Amino acid sequence: MRYSLGLDIGSVTAKLALVDADGGPVRYDVEKITASPLAAVVTLMSRVAETLDLREIASAGVSGSGSAAIPAELDWAEYSSSLAVASGLLHAHPDAKTIIQIGGQTSFVIALVDGLKKPWHVESNPLCAAGTGRFLEQQAYRIGVTLEDFARIA
């Protein structure tokens, strides 16, 4: 079987999505960036390699502020984070109208009209609002819930 791999490398975490030839989800994974973005990617890829021959990955793409961690000679496609988020979300929820993405240092809101078929509008936070995701992570910790539960509650 042939697979497609997507990585979003942010300032706090690296996220991986692996889909099959029909676009069906095979694996989602997240690794916190501690030593370096590249180290987080290596950890994610080694977990994939435990269950899959990496030669079965037919295409790969990367987005995010840490996308430079992927060596250019690998020839991975590069995507804007907003396009990657919108495409992935619309695959599962084609009627979505608004997407709010909150990361460790940035956040953005995407207003969609007719999916990706018509022009869409992206608003991002100014740099003075950096750390938005870290703030939410701290609040979840303070009320004693996991970040995943915090997201579900929201």
Side-chain angles (χ1 to χ4, degrees):
M1 179 168 253
R2 305 299 277 171
Y3 300 95
S4 293
L5 174 77
L7 281 175
D8 179 71
I9 307 169
S11 59
V12 177
T13 59
K15 287 82 60 187
L16 176 143
L18 185 70
V19 297
D20 62 24
D22 297 323
V26 174
R27 180 185 188 99
Y28 297 120
D29 202 353
V30 178
E31 181 67 22
K32 195 167 190 114
I33 296 172
T34 53
S36 72
L38 181 57
V41 169
V42 168
T43 299
L44 286 169
M45 294 304 294
S46 29
R47 288 199 292 254
V48 170
E50 290 172 2
T51 59
L52 173 77
D53 181 348
L54 296 180
R55 292 175 293 195
E56 293 185 78
I57 297 174
S59 62
V62 62
S63 65
S65 61
S67 62
I70 302 301
E73 55 269 15
L74 291 179
D75 200 29
W76 285 20
E78 288 191 50
Y79 299 97
S80 74
S81 290
S82 54
L83 177 61
V85 167
S87 298
L89 183 104
L90 287 169
H91 182 75
H93 304 283
D95 295 332
K97 301 289 185 229
T98 305
I99 300 169
I100 302 171
Q101 191 271 339
I102 301 175
Q105 292 185 349
T106 62
S107 64
F108 58 80
V109 176
I110 303 171
L112 299 165
V113 177
D114 199 19
L116 294 178
K117 295 175 188 155
K118 294 186 179 176
W120 38 288
H121 184 71
V122 178
E123 287 288 333
S124 60
N125 65 306
L127 290 178
C128 64
T132 306
R134 285 282 197 203
F135 172 77
L136 293 174
E137 193 174 60
Q138 291 169 350
Q139 301 319 303
Y141 174 79
R142 287 184 178 131
I143 63 172
V145 299
T146 67
L147 195 54
E148 291 78 16
D149 287 340
F150 193 71
R152 277 190 284 279
I153 292 168

